[in-house]
Amino acid sequence: MKEKELHGKLSLSRRRFLKVCASAAAALGLGSEAVPKIAEAVTSPKRPPVIWLHFMECTGCSESLLRADSPDLATLILDLVSLDYHETLMAAAGHQAEKSLMDSVEANAGKFVLVVEGAVCTGDGGVYCKVAGKTNLETLEEIAPKAGAIIAVGTCATFGGIQAAAPNPTGAVGVRDVIKNKPVVNIAGCPPSPNNFLSTVLYYLTYGRLPALDELGRPKFAYGRKIHDHCERRPHFDEGRFVESFGDEGHKAGYCLYKVGCKGPATFANCPVQRFCDVNWPVGAGHGCIGCTEPGFWDRMSPFYEHLPDVRIPAGDGIYVEAEKIGKWAVAGAAAALAGHAALGVGKKVLDSRKCSSDSGKED
Ligand code: FSX
Ligand code: SF4
Ligand code: F3S
């Protein structure tokens, strides 16, 4: 398809089209030299097939994509890929749907993008989650080896998510726990930012390879920095101005949410920059980050309304103290608090596992 035809199809002027390509390049952390390449990729007549599987999830990831804050970008990509199978969007049903799935897998072996939404059920042979008489485990093990690229979308598909919360009766795991011999891109978040997914697909279409990933398989362009590093409430943290309880004067004034449970210092994602629907994000709306892009979310990030230990916070006059030495933990007993957190694996373990020291409050 020629660029001109594409503009017509998308009702985009050439100026708008190039602007969308430039925004996509910026989101990917690429320079302006990438814009012509992106424009060329999205005007290519080839339509890469995409097969989208639903496993154990709430469908919020698809919902999030359908409400992308960059409709131009979403249209650009969804029009330019061939969405051959998506259980909640396609018109086909029953045997017809299953036939189209396997037809596409066979016809496009080695070329299609496999998107998995939801955790994989492994308990008792995977019997707790079946589609068309097959367990999710069987379907994944059959289709993944034939994919050109695999994208796990949402924290359920990446790390097991809420389905894997204790006691995890279904044996829920992420795609990478099953598919170990191929790269899997993890677009974490419950639900994830649709722009992080769309940008990853665009990168793949443009360069024919996957973007650089962190050690957990997440694209670095989106998950390379902590929430805490680019949070708009960070000046309040640095000055020691905290919300002590929801609805107090500090809350009304937009102070830092650390003491009421914000897990931003231990969570890697670009929510403060990307926001959702171009409007807001959890911390912007007055609620702490609950760490939904991290492994072990849910268990390791709860209790949601208790603060992380091991984060040094300002106490005035350039002095920093451990959070446990102030506030309610001083009354309730810091030792008990720390023991509780240790049992849950929150805080230091999370920070250590990401190789970031308890650096908050004195750097950046
Ligand atoms: Fe999981 Fe997707 Fe959380 Fe839901 O479907 S990442 S439960 S918001 O959205 O898989
Ligand atoms: Fe923002 Fe949370 Fe960090 Fe406070 S603790 S600055 S609210 S990310
Ligand atoms: Fe999730 Fe925290 Fe962003 S809860 S949506 S990573 S602000």
Side-chain angles (χ1 to χ4, degrees):
M1 186 185 298
K2 293 274 178 279
E3 191 179 320
K4 202 168 132 204
E5 292 168 26
L6 185 83
H7 303 155
K9 189 176 172 197
L10 296 175
S11 305
L12 290 181
S13 65
R14 177 177 168 76
R15 177 190 290 258
R16 180 72 193 145
F17 171 73
L18 289 175
K19 203 171 162 197
V20 172
C21 294
S23 308
L28 286 162
L30 302 172
S32 57
E33 69 283 356
V35 176
K37 279 195 181 122
I38 291 174
E40 188 188 330
V42 296
T43 50
S44 160
K46 290 183 207 151
R47 282 162 47 94
V50 171
I51 290 172
W52 188 301
L53 299 176
H54 285 274
F55 292 168
M56 298 197 295
E57 35 86 348
C58 76
T59 314
C61 305
S62 288
E63 289 287 343
S64 159
L65 182 66
L66 293 173
R67 281 151 189 76
D69 60 352
S70 301
D72 292 345
L73 181 59
T75 311
L76 206 64
I77 292 171
L78 292 175
D79 271 5
L80 293 168
V81 299
S82 170
L83 194 54
D84 288 3
Y85 184 90
H86 185 299
E87 281 153 15
T88 50
L89 295 182
M90 65 190 180
H95 295 297
Q96 189 193 3
E98 294 317 301
K99 183 171 182 318
S100 73
L101 169 62
M102 293 321 294
D103 285 352
S104 181
V105 167
E106 296 310 330
N108 300 297
K111 289 184 281 187
F112 66 89
V113 178
L114 173 63
V115 180
V116 179
E117 176 176 353
V120 191
C121 171
T122 63
D124 296 323
V127 295
Y128 306 113
C129 195
K130 285 183 164 185
V131 173
K134 278 189 201 167
T135 67
N136 291 168
L137 193 57
E138 286 169 332
T139 303
L140 183 63
E141 287 176 334
E142 182 180 359
I143 295 178
K146 297 176 182 165
I150 306 173
I151 301 176
V153 64
T155 296
C156 301
T158 56
F159 307 125
I162 189 169
Q163 334 293 340
N168 191 2
T170 61
V173 298
V175 173
R176 277 186 153 206
D177 294 315
V178 176
I179 305 301
K180 297 180 191 270
N181 56 358
K182 281 184 96 138
V184 176
V185 182
N186 278 339
I187 307 294
C190 184
S193 156
N195 285 1
N196 293 341
F197 171 75
L198 294 169
S199 300
T200 300
V201 173
L202 194 56
Y203 187 98
Y204 183 70
L205 294 184
T206 303
Y207 295 102
R209 58 185 151 79
L210 300 173
L213 306 177
D214 70 9
E215 70 271 25
L216 297 172
R218 302 176 299 192
K220 285 184 179 170
F221 73 81
Y223 301 90
R225 292 177 64 193
K226 284 176 285 183
I227 294 279
H228 191 58
D229 292 347
H230 41 183
C231 174
E232 67 255 26
R233 295 183 190 233
R234 180 63 183 264
H236 292 303
F237 178 95
D238 289 339
E239 292 299 322
R241 294 188 291 263
F242 296 99
V243 175
E244 300 290 339
S245 64
F246 288 103
D248 69 7
E249 289 307 311
H251 197 214
K252 288 176 195 159
Y255 286 2
C256 169
L257 296 155
Y258 169 72
K259 287 196 194 173
V260 287
C262 181
K263 306 298 187 289
T267 303
F268 285 69
N270 57 357
C271 306
V273 178
Q274 280 288 343
R275 299 175 176 254
F276 287 79
C277 299
D278 208 16
V279 177
N280 213 342
W281 67 294
V283 170
H287 194 284
C289 166
I290 57 173
C292 79
T293 58
E294 290 297 314
F297 171 81
W298 185 277
D299 296 340
R300 289 169 75 203
M301 289 299 175
S302 53
F304 291 139
Y305 298 103
E306 291 181 20
H307 67 71
L308 290 165
D310 309 307
V311 175
R312 300 179 77 240
I313 64 174
D317 297 329
I319 297 167
Y320 290 82
V321 298
E322 296 293 326
E324 282 67 28
K325 296 195 175 79
I326 66 171
K328 70 173 183 167
W329 297 113
V331 180
L338 280 167
H341 278 300
L344 289 160
V346 184
K348 190 164 187 310
K349 277 190 195 167
V350 177
L351 294 170
D352 285 349
S353 74
R354 300 308 329 281
K355 298 186 181 63
C356 74
S357 59
S358 56
D359 50 4
S360 311
K362 58 180 179 182
E363 82 325 343
D364 302 343

